[in-house]
Amino acid sequence: METGKWGLLAILPLLASLLPLFLDFSPQPFPNKCSLLSQSHYWIASNRIVTPQGVVSGAVEIKGGNIESIVEGDWRGKTRSRHVVDYGDAVLMPGLIDVHTHLDDPGQTEWEDFPSGTRAAAAGGLTTLIDMPLNSQPSTVTKENFELKLSAAKERIFVNVGFWGGLSPENAHNTTIMEDLLEAGVLGLKSFMVPSGINDFPMTNITHIKVGLSVLAKYRRPLLVHSELLPEDHEDNAETENGVENPRSYSTYLKRRPASMEQAAIRELLTVTEDTRTGGPAEGAHLHIVHLADARASLDLIKEAKKRGDSITIETCPHYLAFSAEEISDGDTRFKCAPPIRDAENRDKLWASVMDGHIDMLSSDHSPSVPELKLFKEGDFLKAWGGISSLQFVLPATWTHGRKHGMTFEQLALLWSEKPAKLAGLNNKGKIVQGYDADLVVWEPEAEFVLDNVRDIYTKQPSITAYMGSKLTGKVVSTFVRGNQVYKEKEHASAACGSPILAKESSSYQMNIFSWLISSIGNLNWFPLF
């Protein structure tokens, strides 16, 4: 009897070593409404993975929403029994980060809303949007208004969404209002040097901007500025004199908003950006010029300011790189935006500045409306609502035209992921790097398609996009947000599990994170310990 007991003990290690042959202890699939994949620990393989060190072949390990590891070369022996999604020659790249999006929620959800806008983003390979403070109602110029925005976003966003607050004359005069807004977690502030067209978002002058920079310096966050300055005799929506000018002609609108307006605004801005230099009174603040359209004197002024040490960056948008004024047909108000799309020569100069790094990043400036406001029947460029609807198409639009100028995958990732992440203070996004968030897009750069009404378009108002009818290259295959596959081949995850992004420097950040964890506990990807 004793011999049998000790004999059994002797073979227990052998039995334990054989147990995995009969039992599978790998993570088992589980229901997950946040993702079209049932695994929380898996690998994505591709022959073209865009990393900060270049394009490599291999596999990326995803675990718990983060990038756990990256294997270059032959990955098959290193993934063991884990689930592998092999995309072959499709490109695996950091998800796009759009720092300039109007989602219009709450208040004008018939224009766009959080569900429609973020579903469109997911279908376009965008994993993070930064929402602008205007075109929703009310505008995000106070802490109370920001809380309404956060409430509207709760459990209604399919990708990550951060928020810019608004710099207004009111909160510039009473900086406590501005500081409360920043403490609540907005990533920075946005202001207009021209009338915004929104009653509760008035324009700011250079004094307000100077105050804004001084406050933002304490939080080390950026000020984004719509940089056009109106001449005293400017009348944007004025009737044409004696019918000589044709309001259906794009050239008429272009004359009303010449490049000199951008140049005048930037000259004025550069009188205060010197404060952002090292040792200056606003050191720590940063000025970002949104949707630059003028590639001539405006760009030269900014280049000189950068050389002097001013903390300043620039973005432009795909519509300024894809279209030219000469190509816009009479009455086609889908193309109205401010600043306006300029001539073909200017477009070529913009491209040169993108490719040589003088333009820091790209953004969509997705600015939709209801079709009635575009005045399609009248075709009046002076009275129609301005704004280009483009959110879902910025990746193929950029790539279609960018590859003609020699754009590489690495440059695309730099312009659409890495540098936007830096502007918004998103230190764990924008790169395929170990430890970063698993925000990723898989796309086919050789796939061509014509954008038409037959395609699945997820923005609220697809008829107003200027890209309708365009032949584009670059098809999004899959989009992953914090490891969740939120989009795949015309299919979205059933639950909206994107996270609101709040500024980490805020003194209330820990409380915000705690509240988010409590509210999101039901969406965690629980899986067996083995």
Side-chain angles (χ1 to χ4, degrees):
M1 197 67 181
E2 254 339 276
T3 303
K5 175 182 176 182
W6 289 109
L8 179 62
L9 289 174
I11 65 170
L12 278 176
L14 176 62
L15 292 172
S17 68
L18 294 173
L19 197 58
L21 298 177
F22 303 97
L23 298 175
D24 181 9
F25 285 119
S26 61
Q28 299 300 307
F30 56 90
N32 182 6
K33 294 182 178 179
C34 298
S35 179
L36 298 169
L37 270 180
S38 58
Q39 289 78 13
S40 67
H41 187 186
Y42 60 95
W43 295 75
I44 301 176
S46 167
N47 295 328
R48 294 186 283 187
I49 303 172
V50 184
T51 75
Q53 290 73 43
V55 179
V56 302
S57 176
V60 177
E61 182 183 9
I62 310 299
K63 185 177 181 181
N66 296 323
I67 297 172
E68 182 76 4
S69 65
I70 302 165
V71 174
E72 293 187 31
D74 186 9
W75 48 266
R76 288 168 179 81
K78 301 177 182 179
T79 57
R80 297 182 295 278
S81 61
R82 301 293 180 191
H83 183 78
V84 179
V85 186
D86 187 355
Y87 286 105
D89 289 331
V91 172
L92 175 61
M93 199 172 77
L96 278 66
I97 298 172
D98 189 356
V99 296
H100 195 146
T101 310
H102 296 269
L103 294 175
D104 308 333
D105 199 346
Q108 297 201 127
T109 54
E110 68 276 16
W111 294 22
E112 191 74 277
D113 59 23
F114 283 123
S116 63
T118 56
R119 280 165 63 90
L126 293 98
T127 53
T128 300
L129 306 178
I130 314 297
D131 185 41
M132 281 292 168
L134 71 161
N135 291 11
S136 54
Q137 293 180 349
S139 295
T140 313
V141 291
T142 66
K143 175 186 176 182
E144 293 74 20
N145 292 0
F146 180 45
E147 288 171 345
L148 292 174
K149 175 79 75 170
L150 286 175
S151 178
K154 187 176 181 181
E155 298 180 358
R156 297 176 69 235
I157 52 178
F158 287 83
V159 301
N160 305 307
V161 178
F163 309 88
W164 302 120
L167 175 66
S168 68
E170 182 182 4
N171 61 29
H173 288 306
N174 183 351
T175 56
T176 299
I177 300 173
M178 192 190 310
E179 289 173 347
D180 286 346
L181 179 58
L182 291 163
E183 286 289 329
V186 297
L187 301 177
L189 300 177
K190 163 75 181 293
S191 74
F192 273 71
M193 296 180 76
V194 290
S196 70
I198 304 297
N199 291 335
D200 68 345
F201 201 94
M203 63 181 284
T204 52
N205 60 34
I206 199 65
T207 301
H208 304 138
I209 289 169
K210 188 179 180 71
V211 171
L213 286 173
S214 67
V215 173
L216 286 162
K218 295 185 290 184
Y219 293 85
R220 306 191 72 83
R221 298 184 208 166
L223 174 64
L224 288 74
V225 182
H226 181 125
S227 304
E228 289 183 287
L229 202 60
L230 298 177
E232 292 183 4
D233 59 349
H234 181 85
E235 295 182 82
D236 190 32
N237 291 322
E239 297 290 340
T240 55
E241 183 178 353
N242 300 322
V244 173
E245 292 181 300
N246 178 10
R248 289 178 53 83
S249 171
Y250 192 75
S251 62
T252 299
Y253 174 61
L254 195 58
K255 291 175 185 175
R256 299 294 177 96
R257 296 188 92 109
S260 59
M261 287 174 53
E262 289 188 81
Q263 296 158 17
I266 289 166
R267 283 194 184 91
E268 192 158 301
L269 283 172
L270 297 186
T271 65
V272 296
T273 56
E274 61 185 21
D275 292 349
T276 66
R277 298 174 193 171
T278 302
E283 181 183 357
H286 177 82
L287 190 129
H288 179 72
I289 293 174
V290 300
H291 51 48
L292 183 79
D294 174 40
R296 296 181 174 97
S298 296
L299 194 56
D300 291 338
L301 289 166
I302 297 164
K303 289 178 186 177
E304 289 302 315
K306 286 182 176 182
K307 288 179 184 177
R308 293 192 297 267
D310 294 12
S311 185
I312 185 170
T313 49
I314 329 161
E315 70 183 51
T316 193
C317 306
H319 47 269
Y320 297 121
L321 299 168
F323 308 121
S324 68
E326 298 93 329
E327 300 167 343
I328 299 174
S329 301
D330 285 357
D332 196 349
T333 53
R334 295 176 303 158
F335 291 89
K336 181 180 178 179
C337 58
I341 295 165
R342 305 201 185 280
D343 59 74
E345 182 184 355
N346 182 82
R347 178 183 60 189
D348 292 341
K349 288 179 180 293
L350 274 180
W351 266 118
S353 297
V354 167
M355 297 304 294
D356 64 19
H358 289 300
I359 290 177
D360 300 279
M361 68 196 73
L362 302 179
S363 74
S364 73
D365 190 13
H366 174 64
S367 186
S369 70
V370 291
E372 303 85 76
L373 291 179
K374 298 298 277 187
L375 303 180
F376 289 141
K377 185 177 180 180
E378 297 90 337
D380 189 330
F381 279 106
L382 301 184
K383 296 179 179 178
W385 181 265
I388 303 291
S389 178
S390 60
L391 188 61
Q392 190 173 330
F393 316 116
V394 291
L395 174 53
T398 304
W399 179 245
T400 299
H401 298 277
R403 64 180 187 157
K404 299 173 186 175
H405 293 267
M407 178 175 281
T408 65
F409 298 138
E410 296 97 318
Q411 287 172 309
L412 189 67
L414 190 69
L415 290 162
W416 269 113
S417 303
E418 185 174 337
K419 287 194 173 181
K422 184 177 180 181
L423 176 72
L426 309 178
N427 298 324
N428 57 342
K429 296 185 183 296
K431 301 178 190 177
I432 297 182
V433 171
Q434 185 178 14
Y436 272 50
D437 292 346
D439 294 346
L440 305 164
V441 58
V442 180
W443 62 290
E444 297 173 342
E446 290 81 27
E448 294 184 342
F449 63 93
V450 175
L451 182 60
D452 53 33
N453 292 320
V454 177
R455 293 190 63 82
D456 292 274
I457 301 175
Y458 299 99
T459 57
K460 202 97 175 206
Q461 304 293 347
S463 66
I464 67 172
T465 179
Y467 291 98
M468 193 64 73
S470 298
K471 184 178 181 180
L472 300 175
T473 304
K475 176 188 175 185
V476 173
V477 176
S478 286
T479 304
F480 299 82
V481 176
R482 290 304 311 272
N484 289 320
Q485 188 181 39
V486 297
Y487 175 79
K488 178 184 71 172
E489 297 287 352
K490 304 181 182 180
E491 182 183 2
H492 287 81
S494 59
C497 300
S499 301
I501 299 172
L502 303 178
K504 294 185 178 182
E505 294 84 357
S506 169
S507 62
S508 58
Y509 173 66
Q510 291 181 335
M511 183 58 68
N512 288 330
I513 290 297
F514 178 76
S515 300
W516 176 80
L517 285 172
I518 294 300
S519 66
S520 312
I521 199 76
N523 292 330
L524 293 178
N525 296 341
W526 296 107
F527 53 93
L529 291 176
F530 298 102

